[in-house]
Amino acid sequence: MPYHRMAPDEIDRFLKGPPARPAVLATVRADGRPHLAPVWFGVDDDGSIVWNTGESTVKGHNLRRAGRAAICVDDDRPPYAFVTVEGPVTIDDNLDEVRAWAARLGGRYMGADRAEEYGARNGVPGELVVRLHPEKVISAVDLAE
């Protein structure tokens, strides 16, 4: 088997970037069907994976109901790599937190010069800050080697 698992510091570097890769968020609908959606995310100092979403979205409803999620972040360039993270989520609608994370994520993905723009655009009532608390992490690097 040519690929190997990443060490914890490799996982941290992979998730934090650069580059800032989007994650694919997996949640479960009320009827048991999976729901996948790309999200911008960041890693907080406590190791939680953080993103914003609207409370009235499919993601928002699923997260509130189930209280759990998974993300997958991949490098789609050879030799390929990925990290998946599963665990419980906490949800915060505090507008100061929502704006702060919206700005932080906007800066991460669109450049520091646009952080405040994204904070103002996405840091509004009806938006949430979601934290995924890692329980299980799976990784692989050099998949094509």
Side-chain angles (χ1 to χ4, degrees):
M1 179 164 62
Y3 67 89
H4 67 275
R5 292 182 181 155
M6 294 180 200
D9 62 318
E10 290 176 293
I11 292 170
D12 193 55
R13 283 193 307 275
F14 184 84
L15 292 175
K16 290 179 178 176
R21 300 173 179 95
V24 176
L25 170 67
T27 61
V28 178
R29 296 173 191 259
D31 65 4
R33 291 180 297 142
H35 179 261
L36 299 172
V39 294
W40 290 355
F41 75 95
V43 180
D44 205 354
D45 294 340
D46 66 358
S48 61
I49 309 298
V50 184
W51 66 90
N52 294 105
T53 194
E55 64 185 341
S56 63
T57 64
V58 172
K59 299 183 297 287
H61 289 295
N62 292 346
L63 291 163
R64 281 216 191 266
R65 189 192 65 264
R68 300 189 62 78
I71 64 161
C72 180
V73 181
D74 76 316
D75 182 351
D76 62 356
R77 299 167 301 158
Y80 308 108
F82 72 87
V83 172
T84 63
V85 181
E86 304 172 15
V89 298
T90 54
I91 299 170
D92 190 350
D93 63 1
N94 176 287
L95 202 49
D96 291 336
E97 278 293 301
V98 171
R99 283 188 185 130
W101 275 100
R104 183 170 170 179
L105 296 174
R108 172 172 153 81
Y109 286 88
M110 299 303 296
D113 60 321
R114 299 194 65 194
E116 291 308 312
E117 170 192 347
Y118 277 86
R121 186 186 102 173
N122 298 335
V124 296
E127 290 294 309
L128 306 169
V129 172
V130 181
R131 292 178 178 276
L132 172 61
H133 304 279
E135 277 185 346
K136 183 174 185 177
V137 178
I138 300 169
S139 67
V141 66
D142 298 330
L143 289 163
E145 290 295 313

